[in-house]
């Protein structure tokens, strides 16, 4: 994964950690490789089930682009998206999902189609990036499961 995107994901993950939430983060990139939206998990803070990083970033992108069609965009995430977020990504018509580490609790297939539209899902994190992010996840779960 490009260092610029990975570094931004880690900054956002730290923001989630600092608000006692799972350090998951997402950024959405347009066709020109510009970051158009970014967010992190705020589910615990807002006490809403939909406070996942991907959904927050998609909602922000809709507002910025004044459309609910993000065709041609990619979403980069720290953690492989859950089923709910996959659904939101499909509905937003995002073309590709790149993530740092697998979601071992809630994983889906590596590509899927909606209305004959394929969305590519690929693990893009390097081993070093995975280790950095795994440390953040461990910090959250170690602190919150005691």
């Amino acid at each position: 994964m490009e260092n610029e995107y990975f570094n931004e994901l880690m900054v956002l993950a730290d923001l989630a950690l600092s608000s006692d939430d799972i350090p998951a983060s997402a950024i959405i990139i347009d066709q020109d490789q510009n970051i158009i939206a970014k967010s992190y998990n705020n589910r615990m803070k807002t006490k809403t089930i939909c406070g996942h990083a991907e959904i927050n970033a998609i909602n922000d992108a809709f507002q910025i682009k004044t459309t609910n069609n993000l065709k041609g965009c990619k979403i980069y995430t720290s953690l492989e998206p859950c089923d709910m977020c996959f659904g939101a990504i499909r509905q937003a018509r995002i073309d590709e999902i790149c993530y740092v580490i697998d979601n071992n609790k809630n994983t889906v297939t590596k590509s899927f189609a909606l209305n004959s539209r394929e969305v590519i899902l690929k693990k893009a994190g390097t081993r070093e990036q995975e280790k950095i992010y795994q440390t953040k996840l461990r910090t959250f779960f170690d602190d919150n499961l005691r």
Side-chain angles (χ1 to χ4, degrees):
M1 177 177 296
E2 295 86 342
N3 280 332
E4 172 191 359
Y5 301 150
F6 176 76
N7 292 339
E8 186 66 37
L9 287 172
M10 293 303 99
V11 168
L12 294 165
D14 285 338
L15 291 172
L17 262 179
S18 70
S19 63
D20 296 324
D21 216 315
I22 295 172
S25 53
I27 57 176
I28 298 176
I29 310 301
D30 67 12
Q31 295 100 326
D32 298 322
Q33 306 304 307
N34 297 312
I35 296 175
I36 59 168
K38 56 188 176 181
S39 193
Y40 55 91
N41 271 25
N42 64 0
R43 190 175 131 185
M44 303 300 189
K45 183 178 179 179
T46 60
K47 302 196 178 5
T48 60
I49 194 70
C50 293
H52 289 207
E54 299 90 336
I55 292 174
N56 293 335
I58 289 168
N59 287 333
D60 289 348
F62 284 173
Q63 295 299 310
I64 291 163
K65 293 192 66 85
T66 64
T67 182
N68 62 355
N69 185 341
L70 301 177
K71 186 163 177 48
C73 293
K74 285 184 187 180
I75 188 166
Y76 286 78
T77 64
S78 53
L79 185 62
E80 179 184 6
C82 70
D83 293 340
M84 177 177 65
C85 292
F86 273 117
I89 291 164
R90 286 191 306 197
Q91 292 297 315
R93 300 193 178 284
I94 292 172
D95 293 327
E96 189 172 337
I97 304 162
C98 300
Y99 64 93
V100 178
I101 64 171
D102 293 322
N103 183 343
N104 294 325
K105 287 188 173 186
N106 193 359
T107 188
V108 296
T109 60
K110 297 300 176 198
S111 73
F112 53 91
L114 174 70
N115 300 329
S116 64
R117 238 188 111 260
E118 187 173 311
V119 178
I120 304 300
L121 171 69
K122 67 180 182 182
K123 186 172 180 180
T126 65
R127 289 225 187 269
E128 182 180 332
Q129 291 170 340
E130 288 178 24
K131 287 178 185 176
I132 292 167
Y133 181 59
Q134 284 172 338
T135 300
K136 292 180 188 305
L137 283 174
R138 264 198 280 305
T139 297
F140 174 80
F141 286 106
D142 287 350
D143 290 350
N144 288 284
L145 294 179
R146 288 185 188 158

